């Protein structure tokens, strides 16, 4: 682990749970006021919001914010596949993987051309950054991406980040840029993530905007639905989950309407627009956020109640004696889910041993298991926030 990986490190493996427990005490007015102090901002804009003069309006707002306050901005942009569909003369977004990749390849150059033209008019440079989940799942490549983004921001450029859909097979089928934006948040050390959409924010059962969310589990998740636009792959459910993950990285998150004039400026000014998810008081370090919310578990470790308690409240490692069994096939260094006797996932971590070795040593004390009976070390373990 390098210094740059954990400049926002928190103490204790139960940081996520402690942060979630503290979140309900957040004050909406104080949280809105905090937006005015945000210095590094990520703006995610979806496919349906990129039409007409959207690029010009976005460029004008970014230029105004940069000029007045010196804030740095990063854009996570959808749109390559949608533009490629039009360029290739297709009637609708294809379902076949090869055609999706073809549309992404055809549309990516058009997307960047639109950004270059719009931002060039206001004197700003843009730089294309294409990422796949495999890039962010590898720690060395993640750090390389972090350093490249830092250099671009230092040079005064606006990074335009998108998934490399032309080669990322699984990401087209399962991923979306809301989740990419949440993963990029700790990478850029952003303190504000703005998720622009075709609606004014999270809506309640009567169609009214929800201005502030303290708890995603209690207040937001049941209100979110899937995408119905036929253009993008995300939806409100994806945005709410992305908001939850980004707040755990220490970033405020606002879901707002891309069509509203000056929406980014109004959010940064602390106006009551969109739906605000406030950053948790005690953030996860970049590395622990990566373990919990970027890596995909290769298997699961089932622990007994004593081990579950030690993990959740005492920041203890998972020892062989507390393991009931394993699921899946994993090797040392792979990400694993940690499950309690009730079947609830309580943590994620990096395995110190393979699935076969963990199964062989399960329930055994150190004298039986051998000198190294640590299945997951506490330094590689992240307690998930209590729902």
């Amino acid at each position: 682990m390098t210094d740059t990986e954990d400049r926002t490190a928190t103490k204790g493996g139960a940081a996520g749970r402690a942060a979630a427990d503290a979140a309900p005490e957040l004050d909406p007015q104080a949280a809105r006021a905090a937006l005015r102090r945000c210095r590094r901002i990520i703006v995610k804009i979806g496919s349906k919001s990129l039409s007409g003069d959207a690029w010009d309006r976005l460029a004008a707002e970014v230029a105004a914010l940069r000029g007045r306050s010196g804030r740095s901005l990063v854009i996570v942009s959808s749109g390559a596949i949608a533009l490629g569909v039009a360029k290739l003369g297709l009637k609708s977004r294809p379902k076949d993987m090869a055609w999706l990749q073809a549309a992404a390849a055809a549309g990516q150059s058009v997307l960047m051309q639109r950004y270059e033209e719009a931002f060039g008019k206001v004197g700003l440079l843009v730089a294309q950054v294409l990422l796949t989940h495999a890039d962010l799942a590898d720690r060395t490549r993640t750090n390389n991406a972090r350093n490249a983004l830092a250099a671009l921001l230092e040079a005064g450029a606006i990074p335009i980040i998108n998934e490399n859909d032309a080669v990322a097979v699984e990401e087209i089928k399962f991923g979306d840029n809301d989740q990419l934006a949440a993963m990029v948040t700790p990478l850029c050390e952003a303190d504000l993530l703005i998720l622009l959409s075709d609606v004014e924010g999270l809506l309640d059962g009567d169609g009214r905007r929800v201005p502030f969310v303290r708890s995603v589990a209690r207040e937001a998740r049941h209100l979110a639905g899937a995408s119905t636009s036929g253009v993008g792959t995300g939806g409100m459910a994806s945005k709410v989950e992305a908001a939850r993950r980004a707040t755990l990285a220490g970033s405020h998150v606002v879901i707002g309407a891309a069509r509203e004039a000056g929406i980014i400026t109004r959010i940064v000014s602390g106006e009551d627009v969109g739906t605000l998810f406030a950053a948790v008081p005690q953030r996860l370090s970049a590395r622990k956020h990566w373990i919990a919310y970027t890596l995909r578990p290769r298997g699961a470790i089932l622990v007994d109640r004593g081990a579950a308690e030690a993990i959740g409240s005492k920041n203890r490692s998972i020892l062989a004696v507390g393991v009931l069994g394993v699921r899946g096939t994993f090797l040392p260094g792979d990400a694993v889910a940690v499950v309690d006797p009730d079947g609830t996932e309580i943590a994620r971590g990096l395995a110190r041993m393979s699935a076969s070795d963990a199964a062989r040593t399960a329930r055994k004390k150190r004298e039986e298991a051998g000198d190294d009976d640590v299945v997951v070390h506490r330094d590689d373990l992240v307690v998930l926030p209590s729902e």
Side-chain angles (χ1 to χ4, degrees):
M1 182 171 62
T2 66
D3 291 338
T4 55
E5 289 175 20
D6 266 329
R7 278 176 282 184
T8 58
T10 56
K11 296 180 180 179
R17 190 178 300 276
D21 291 342
E25 303 304 320
L26 295 172
D27 175 70
Q29 290 185 335
R32 289 282 181 186
L35 300 183
R36 297 195 288 268
R37 300 189 294 272
C38 293
R39 309 302 300 170
R40 181 158 294 177
I41 302 165
I42 297 176
V43 178
K44 184 270 174 180
I45 187 164
S47 301
K48 195 174 182 181
S49 302
L50 286 172
S51 60
D53 64 347
W55 285 274
D56 290 325
R57 288 187 287 109
L58 181 60
E61 282 210 77
V62 170
L65 285 172
R66 283 276 304 273
R68 286 199 300 266
S69 63
R71 292 180 173 94
S72 57
L73 288 96
V74 175
I75 295 173
V76 176
S77 178
S78 301
I81 292 178
L83 290 170
V85 167
K87 185 176 181 179
L88 295 176
L90 304 178
K91 294 181 179 180
S92 61
R93 180 187 175 97
K95 293 182 171 59
D96 178 78
M97 188 60 64
W99 278 101
L100 279 169
Q101 292 175 316
Q108 189 62 45
S109 61
V110 180
L111 180 67
M112 285 308 301
Q113 182 181 14
R114 300 279 177 90
Y115 276 110
E116 287 182 358
E117 290 175 350
F119 280 70
K121 293 176 185 176
V122 293
L124 293 178
L125 298 174
V126 297
Q128 176 179 259
V129 180
L130 294 176
L131 297 171
T132 66
H133 187 272
D135 294 323
L136 298 184
D138 181 272
R139 200 60 186 158
T140 299
R141 288 154 71 182
T142 294
N143 287 332
N144 289 340
R146 183 199 315 278
N147 294 335
L149 288 168
L152 287 171
L153 292 171
E154 186 176 346
I158 308 294
I160 309 294
I161 301 176
N162 194 6
E163 277 191 309
N164 194 357
D165 291 333
V167 299
V169 176
E170 188 175 357
E171 280 64 34
I172 291 180
K173 187 174 182 181
F174 298 109
D176 61 66
N177 278 343
D178 295 320
Q179 302 310 311
L180 175 59
M183 294 178 193
V184 168
T185 296
L187 201 66
C188 295
E189 296 183 338
D191 42 17
L192 174 60
L193 169 60
I194 299 174
L195 299 172
L196 295 180
S197 181
D198 56 341
V199 294
E200 60 179 332
L202 179 66
L203 305 179
D204 65 16
D206 296 321
R208 295 187 296 258
R209 175 179 64 93
V210 177
F212 185 73
V213 172
R214 291 180 174 86
S215 168
V216 169
R218 291 193 299 270
E219 302 175 38
R221 193 167 283 155
H222 69 287
L223 297 175
S227 173
T228 57
S229 70
V231 179
T233 58
M236 190 55 66
S238 176
K239 288 173 177 56
V240 166
E241 177 60 18
R244 184 181 74 87
R245 296 182 178 195
T247 58
L248 291 170
S251 174
H252 300 293
V253 180
V254 178
I255 300 174
R259 67 177 181 274
E260 289 190 22
I263 184 64
I264 298 174
T265 303
R266 294 174 66 193
I267 289 171
V268 175
S269 298
E271 288 189 34
D272 183 11
V273 292
T275 299
L276 169 61
F277 301 75
V280 298
Q282 191 176 20
R283 70 181 67 184
L284 286 172
S285 71
R287 182 175 182 272
K288 290 205 168 185
H289 195 277
W290 173 74
I291 291 172
Y293 298 115
T294 296
L295 298 181
R296 292 172 178 169
R298 297 295 184 90
I301 296 172
L302 286 65
V303 298
D304 61 26
R305 295 201 184 280
E309 173 63 24
I311 293 165
S313 63
K314 300 178 182 178
N315 187 30
R316 298 287 178 81
S317 299
I318 300 176
L319 305 180
V321 68
V323 174
L324 296 174
V326 301
R327 296 173 184 162
T329 302
F330 53 86
L331 298 172
D334 284 345
V336 291
V338 181
V339 180
D340 69 13
D342 297 323
T344 301
E345 184 181 1
I346 61 171
R348 289 190 180 180
L350 303 180
R352 284 286 181 98
M353 59 178 66
S354 67
S356 58
D357 286 342
R360 176 180 55 81
T361 58
R363 310 302 292 163
K364 293 182 179 180
K365 296 181 180 179
R366 173 167 290 185
E367 55 268 23
E368 300 173 283
D371 291 337
D372 189 4
D373 63 336
V374 177
V375 182
V376 180
H377 193 274
R378 64 184 181 182
D379 291 345
D380 301 324
L381 189 63
V382 185
V383 179
L384 299 180
S386 173
E387 297 291 2

